[in-house]
């Protein structure tokens, strides 16, 4: 497995020429880097005008590994070949290094760049990337990977300290300024002599060649780079490998994610939640981004208005901050009538409110980071359980609580810095037994539980909250404006019909996906069919506008990352350069669907590969045969203030042997929003069956 490292941009607040003078002091050996045993020059070349200076060195590094491994390998040091291309005109230094020792078994590549800061020409930037590929090493492949990456990252930041040490040494010796390079006149005879001594295979032009630059896989575009000082100042201390994971994941999102890129603080939370395992964090973050887009969570704080019973009886609210500057949220769960709130507003409204609290928490963390001048990425919750009793263990309420915990754990990892549980009653262990298995172990470590009055005095709340912040109902000095809760009047309960509708809405929202369709921007869903004869089923409702529904078979692979249940991706997937009939073909007759209609249908596939379900705006003046947007459609979409059509859809892939004239696998059959018809059934012998419309 190839291990990769990508550093953030490190900034020296010194001119490039001075940094280069400090860099040269590292050779031929450097006492400040103990593993660097020494180096010798293999070759040195200059361009005719002296603007480009290329040096190749052989560098010896001590092997910092267990004695047994060194004995098996038969070496005490390894040799690297380093090639430096210094361009005085462009003010860049490109460094390319690779190992010679064990090169048939292990491949190590390193690329570094010194460049002028894009916003301050008197500052110098440094970037570093590396890759390690252990193909075979006497059965110690995994051990070698761990040793190599540990040793490498341990010396990454040391490199900056070394440069800064030599910079200070130069300044103390009176060298604080080095003039920039200027071209000198070159006599014809000197130019001929210079050309004779140059290596033909290493001839340099005035600018660096592509071969000397960083590995394209490791390089980043200027707009995608993270500054190391910014990371330290705004995100907190990270190890070199943690910095590398953050830079790589952010770069991956820049290249693949369509839409708004999450803030670095948000990305970092997912990395921490998965212990900086890059692939696991990426999967978790992608699922969360899809969830946020589906439920429009980015707009929640602007659109969510709590129902009146929540505003009056939900005993929770924000209250200053803890001693570390984290926003403080107080929740008086014991004083809250959870059963009454569930009956008054429904589970969905409670979930929306919990999500709005988490969104507000992230916003407050950003504000406190600016206010206190240090990274604050999580908040503290003070949970008061006085009054907790068996009424709170009402089964539907506990079930709703577990669902909320699951949603928060999946989409707001590492946002809770500390949970202070006070006045825990005897019934608390029962509740804890029910909910603790659903809480991440890292989160559980942040829980501090106080029974009775143990929260008072040393070791209690005063260790985490200033006395002036402790609420008055806990014996503190601060007046707390959090609602006191209390029983919700039964007159505010939802009627049975309203409760039934709320329950159906919840079931329906868990099964269906929402989509907006614009002029010139169809919505498409890709379905992977592993074998020739399978059954694609669909069920959707048109909430607004009219659309044309089509089904296509794609003849070339889509460049998408696999998701779950055969549904790989959604959005606009058909490339504008594709030609209908050549690159993809229609396998269902286009169906015009009117606002308010419910559509159900299925299709028995004939070929394996990718199938696309497509919904596009229907306009009477347009032909349904046109599947790709024209220039006019795109311009119309740009000037349209909102979606022209909205729909809710569900689709799945069934094996042909499981589809015998029944649609029972679709959970949507219990929903009022879509009524399945017996005529949607299909047998495996049919080529396809059309969609059925119901109003």
């Amino acid at each position: 497995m190839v291990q990769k490292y990508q550093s953030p941009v490190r900034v020296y607040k010194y001119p490039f020429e001075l940094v280069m003078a400090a860099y040269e002091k590292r050779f031929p050996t450097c006492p400040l880097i103990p593993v660097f045993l020494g180096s010798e020059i293999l070759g040195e070349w200059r361009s005719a005008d002296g603007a480009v200076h290329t040096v190749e060195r052989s560098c010896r590094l001590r092997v910092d590994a267990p004695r047994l491994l060194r004995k098996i390998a038969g070496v005490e040091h390894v040799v690297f070949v380093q090639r430096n291309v210094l361009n005085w005109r462009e003010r860049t230094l490109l460094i390319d290094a690779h190992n010679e020792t064990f090169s048939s078994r292990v491949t190590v590549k390193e690329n570094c760049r010194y460049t002028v800061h894009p916003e301050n020409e008197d500052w110098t930037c440094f970037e570093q990337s590396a890759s390690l590929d252990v193909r075979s090493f006497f059965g110690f492949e995994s051990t070698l990977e761990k040793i190599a990456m540990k040793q490498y990252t341990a010396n990454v930041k040391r490199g900056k300290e070394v440069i800064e040490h030599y910079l200070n040494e130069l300044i103390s010796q009176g060298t604080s300024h080095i003039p920039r390079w200027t071209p000198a006149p070159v006599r014809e005879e000197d130019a001929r002599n210079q050309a004779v001594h140059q290596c033909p295979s290493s001839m340099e032009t005035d600018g660096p060649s592509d071969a000397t630059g960083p590995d394209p896989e490791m390089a980043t575009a200027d707009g995608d780079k993270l500054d190391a000082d910014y990371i330290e100042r705004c995100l907190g201390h990270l190890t070199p490998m943690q910095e590398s994971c953050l830079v790589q994941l952010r770069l991956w999102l820049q290249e693949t994610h369509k839409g708004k890129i999450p803030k670095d603080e948000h990305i970092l939370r997912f990395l921490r939640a998965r212990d900086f395992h890059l692939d696991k964090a990426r999967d978790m973050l992608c699922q969360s981004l899809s969830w946020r887009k589906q439920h429009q969570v980015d707009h929640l704080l602007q659109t969510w208005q709590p129902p009146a019973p929540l505003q009056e009886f939900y005993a929770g609210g924000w209250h200053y901050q803890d001693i570390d500057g984290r926003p403080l949220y107080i929740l008086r769960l014991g004083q809250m009538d959870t059963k009454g709130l569930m009956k008054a507003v429904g589970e969905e409204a409670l979930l929306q409110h919990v999500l709005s609290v988490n969104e507000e928490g992230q916003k407050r963390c950003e504000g406190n980071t600016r206010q206190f001048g240090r990274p604050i990425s999580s908040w503290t919750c003070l949970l008061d359980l006085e009054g907790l009793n068996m009424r709170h263990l009402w089964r539907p309420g506990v079930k709703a609580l577990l669902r909320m915990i699951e949603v928060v754990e999946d989409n707001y990892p590492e946002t809770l810095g500390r949970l202070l549980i006070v006045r825990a009653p005897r019934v608390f262990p029962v509740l804890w037994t029910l909910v603790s298995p659903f809480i991440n172990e890292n989160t559980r470590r942040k829980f501090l539980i106080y029974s009775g009055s143990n929260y008072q005095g040393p070791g209690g709340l005063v260790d985490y909250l200033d006395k002036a912040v402790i609420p008055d109902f806990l014996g503190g000095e601060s007046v707390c404006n959090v609602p006191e809760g209390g029983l919700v009047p039964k007159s505010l309960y939802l009627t049975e019909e309203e409760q039934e509708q709320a329950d159906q809405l919840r079931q329906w929202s868990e099964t269906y996906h929402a989509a907006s369709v614009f002029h010139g921007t169809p919505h498409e869903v890709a379905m992977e069919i592993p074998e020739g004869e399978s059954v694609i089923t669909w069920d959707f409702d048109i909430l607004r506008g009219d659309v044309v529904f089509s089904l296509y078979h794609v003849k070339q692979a889509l460049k998408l990352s696999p998701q779950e249940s055969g549904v790989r991706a959604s959005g606009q997937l058909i490339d504008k350069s594709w030609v209908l009939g050549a690159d993809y073909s229609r396998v269902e007759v286009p169906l015009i669907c009117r606002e308010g209609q419910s559509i159900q249908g299925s299709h028995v596939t004939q070929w394996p590969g990718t199938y696309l379900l497509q919904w596009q705006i229907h306009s009477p003046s347009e032909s349904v045969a046109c599947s790709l947007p024209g220039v006019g459609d795109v311009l119309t979409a740009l000037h349209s203030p909102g979606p022209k059509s909205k729909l809710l859809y569900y689709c799945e892939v069934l094996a042909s042997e499981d589809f015998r004239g029944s649609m029972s696998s679709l959970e949507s059959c219990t929903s009022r929003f879509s009524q399945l018809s017996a005529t949607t059934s299909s047998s495996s012998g049919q080529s396809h069956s059309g969609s059925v419309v119901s109003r």
Side-chain angles (χ1 to χ4, degrees), residues 337 340 343-344 391 487-494:
D337 180 9
K343 288 183 172 290
R391 178 182 175 86
L487 292 175
V488 179
K490 292 186 177 180
S491 59
L492 297 179
Y493 285 10
L494 298 173

Side-chain angles (χ1 to χ4, degrees), residues 619-638:
S619 177
S621 61
E622 297 173 359
S623 169
V624 297
C626 179
S627 60
L628 295 179
V631 175
D633 290 334
V634 175
L635 292 176
T636 302
L638 290 174

Side-chain angles (χ1 to χ4, degrees), residues 81-376:
V81 174
Q82 183 195 76
R83 188 167 188 260
N84 292 3
V85 180
L86 176 59
N87 189 319
W88 289 112
R89 177 183 286 112
E90 301 294 336
R91 302 177 78 195
T92 61
L93 172 63
L94 307 181
I95 306 169
D96 181 15
H98 64 274
N99 63 304
E100 277 200 337
T101 308
F102 298 119
S103 58
S104 62
R105 296 177 177 271
V106 180
T107 302
V108 180
K109 293 182 179 179
E110 182 183 70
N111 304 104
C112 305
R113 291 173 60 95
Y114 285 89
T115 57
V116 177
H117 194 285
E119 297 178 3
N120 189 328
E121 63 178 14
D122 289 329
W123 290 359
T124 305
C125 296
F126 172 75
E127 304 175 66
Q128 187 173 12
S129 60
S131 64
L132 169 68
D133 184 9
V134 183
R135 291 185 289 275
S136 64
F137 201 79
F138 314 109
F140 289 88
E141 291 81 9
S142 178
T143 302
L144 182 64
E145 277 188 359
K146 292 178 181 178
I147 292 174
M149 293 309 294
K150 181 179 179 181
Q151 181 173 329
Y152 183 78
T153 55
N155 288 284
V156 167
K157 287 193 174 180
R158 183 64 176 160
K160 183 180 181 183
E161 296 172 5
V162 169
I163 294 294
E164 289 177 339
H165 168 82
Y166 287 126
L167 282 167
N168 293 330
E169 186 177 280
L170 285 169
I171 293 171
S172 67
Q173 294 171 353
T175 305
S176 59
H177 174 73
I178 297 177
R180 295 185 186 179
W181 176 87
T182 55
V186 180
R187 294 180 304 173
E188 184 177 343
E189 181 181 353
D190 293 338
R192 286 198 301 269
N193 292 337
Q194 180 71 32
V196 169
H197 291 91
Q198 285 183 337
C199 174
S201 62
S202 303
M203 291 287 286
E204 298 291 341
T205 62
D206 286 348
S209 68
D210 293 341
T212 64
D215 182 350
E217 291 185 4
M218 308 299 292
T220 59
D222 289 342
D224 301 335
K225 296 174 182 176
L226 287 178
D227 183 271
D229 292 336
Y230 153 77
I231 292 177
E232 189 82 24
R233 186 177 67 255
C234 299
L235 304 179
H237 174 73
L238 300 176
T239 67
M241 281 307 297
Q242 290 171 346
E243 288 179 344
S244 174
C245 289
L246 175 60
V247 173
Q248 289 185 66
L249 184 50
R250 187 175 186 270
L251 176 60
W252 182 84
L253 287 171
Q254 292 276 10
E255 293 174 344
T256 62
H257 184 62
K258 296 179 180 178
K260 186 179 178 182
I261 302 299
K263 295 181 179 178
D264 299 322
E265 300 93 318
H266 194 73
I267 299 173
L268 189 56
R269 289 187 179 106
F270 285 84
L271 284 166
R272 285 176 171 147
R274 291 296 178 261
D275 296 321
F276 287 88
H277 189 292
L278 191 58
D279 291 337
K280 292 180 180 179
R282 181 171 57 199
D283 291 343
M284 183 184 184
L285 178 57
C286 287
Q287 291 179 17
S288 179
L289 291 176
S290 298
W291 171 84
R292 293 182 70 86
K293 183 178 180 180
Q294 177 184 340
H295 297 282
Q296 298 292 300
V297 179
D298 287 340
H299 307 292
L300 186 61
L301 291 180
Q302 292 77 37
T303 59
W304 170 247
Q305 183 63 36
L310 274 180
Q311 297 184 40
E312 184 176 354
F313 296 100
Y314 187 88
W318 294 99
H319 181 77
Y320 302 106
Q321 54 269 330
D322 68 6
I323 59 173
D324 296 319
R326 295 189 183 103
L328 176 64
Y329 189 81
I330 294 178
L331 182 62
R332 305 186 68 180
L333 183 61
Q335 304 297 312
M336 203 155 61
D337 180 9
T338 53
K339 183 176 182 179
L341 283 174
M342 281 274 289
K343 288 183 172 290
V345 300
E347 182 180 331
E348 285 305 305
L350 275 173
L351 175 60
Q352 290 290 307
H353 194 63
V354 169
L355 296 182
S356 71
V357 169
N358 280 272
E359 290 292 306
E360 177 68 22
Q362 293 185 138
K363 185 178 178 182
R364 287 175 177 261
C365 287
E366 294 173 11
N368 284 19
T369 295
R370 293 190 295 269
Q371 179 181 346
F372 296 108
R374 62 178 185 273
I376 296 172

Side-chain angles (χ1 to χ4, degrees), residues 651-669:
C651 51
E652 74 173 311
V653 177
L654 304 173
S656 58
E657 61 268 19
D658 298 331
F659 192 84
R660 299 293 180 183
S662 171
M663 294 286 281
S664 60
S665 64
L666 288 179
E667 297 177 9
S668 59
C669 63

